[in-house]
Amino acid sequence: MPITRTVTMLALAREALERFDNNADAAQAYLSERLVSDGQLREALVKAAIEYERLEMIEAPS
């Protein structure tokens, strides 16, 4: 199943790393603060994760 690039932790991690020139510590600090302060972002991540896993379970062979 192709993964649609929606709001995912991987997409956010890449964005943060690009923003801070691959400085992992700075990217992590930025992303951690963003997740703490942005309720809509947290909600979008939860929804995306649940939908992804739901689709994986539906498509998985029994």
Side-chain angles (χ1 to χ4, degrees):
M1 171 178 108
I3 298 176
T4 303
R5 190 161 175 92
T6 58
V7 178
T8 65
M9 278 304 295
L10 293 175
L12 292 172
R14 177 178 289 270
E15 174 190 313
L17 285 166
E18 288 172 351
R19 172 178 279 220
F20 293 99
D21 297 321
N22 285 331
N23 181 322
D25 290 336
Q28 182 177 344
Y30 165 77
L31 191 49
S32 292
E33 177 58 33
R34 190 167 168 202
L35 290 171
V36 166
S37 64
D38 191 337
Q40 286 183 321
L41 178 59
R42 283 192 312 274
E43 184 177 335
L45 286 169
V46 169
K47 286 181 179 181
I50 295 296
E51 183 62 13
Y52 175 81
E53 288 302 322
R54 187 183 72 77
L55 291 173
E56 283 289 307
M57 292 173 74
I58 290 171
E59 294 178 1
S62 302

